[in-house]
Amino acid sequence: MAGILKSVSGKNKINLKNKKFALVVAEWNEEITETLFNGAYQALLELGAKKDNIIRKNVPGSFELPLGAQQMAGQKKIDAVICIGCVIQGDTPHFDYICQAVANGIMNVNLKFNKPVAFGVLTTLNKKQALERAGGRLGNKGEEAAVTVVKMLTP
Ligand code: DLZ
């Protein structure tokens, strides 16, 4: 077990065999979000989750992540949700509206359902910054989001 995954090993490690996860993945900037998805998915498997207990739901863009997360978190069988997205700044204030709405929306889902819902959403100034955080020199933020929900499930 490497890197950040080590932070959930040790005597407090939770058994994930019967835990069910939903990954909600935005299709915008797909090259990036697929890498984040793979990071999160592999991390869950390495931490002990079963393939059959991980479901994926695609949404068009990051703005749709809170609704997708709500649809998943509202299901009794789902223990935790990981939202995956990538918003890259453009020439207009659109970026700020999307990022703020997505962050607030995802936080609301956490609190509404009392379940971990991770913010695995890159909000970057350019594509280079996004690539650095999607398997590049700054790691994979999808993997970190998976570790976050596992830590939150740990009693
Ligand atoms: C419209 C839009 C733009 C310009 N940029 C992004 C982006 O960088 N990342 C992302 O995830 N989604 C983007 N979107 C799409 C919005 O999230 C949303 O899907 C649309 O505004 C429709 O609600």
Side-chain angles (χ1 to χ4, degrees):
M1 194 171 285
I4 188 168
L5 298 185
K6 277 197 188 136
S7 67
V8 279
S9 61
K11 62 176 188 297
N12 288 334
K13 192 170 175 237
I14 184 175
N15 186 343
L16 297 184
K17 203 175 66 174
N18 297 315
K19 297 290 182 195
K20 293 194 168 47
F21 298 89
L23 286 115
V24 185
V25 185
E27 290 169 349
W28 259 80
N29 298 313
E30 192 179 22
E31 173 192 353
I32 308 284
T33 60
E34 281 306 307
T35 307
L36 296 174
F37 166 79
N38 285 324
Y41 185 76
Q42 290 305 327
L44 290 177
L45 294 181
E46 282 200 45
L47 292 170
K50 298 290 166 208
K51 274 187 184 171
D52 286 348
N53 289 338
I54 305 173
I55 62 170
R56 173 177 177 154
K57 177 181 175 59
N58 274 21
V59 294
S62 293
F63 190 73
E64 285 71 40
L65 285 170
L67 179 57
Q70 179 168 275
Q71 290 167 349
M72 292 293 113
Q75 297 181 32
K76 216 172 163 208
K77 63 181 180 187
I78 300 291
D79 294 292
V81 180
I82 300 166
C83 296
I84 300 287
C86 172
V87 195
I88 299 178
Q89 191 172 35
D91 295 333
T92 69
H94 184 268
F95 174 81
D96 304 296
Y97 289 109
I98 297 271
C99 295
Q100 199 60 55
V102 175
N104 288 341
I106 291 175
M107 176 53 76
N108 288 341
V109 181
N110 274 274
L111 301 179
K112 179 174 175 185
F113 294 100
N114 199 25
K115 291 180 183 179
V117 182
F119 184 77
V121 182
L122 298 181
T123 57
T124 63
L125 302 180
N126 51 52
K127 188 173 173 184
K128 179 173 174 280
Q129 287 185 344
L131 288 168
E132 286 172 345
R133 291 160 176 79
R137 72 179 180 94
L138 297 175
N140 185 315
K141 301 298 169 187
E143 185 180 275
E144 289 181 23
V147 167
T148 297
V149 294
V150 172
K151 284 183 173 175
M152 289 304 290
L153 287 174
T154 303

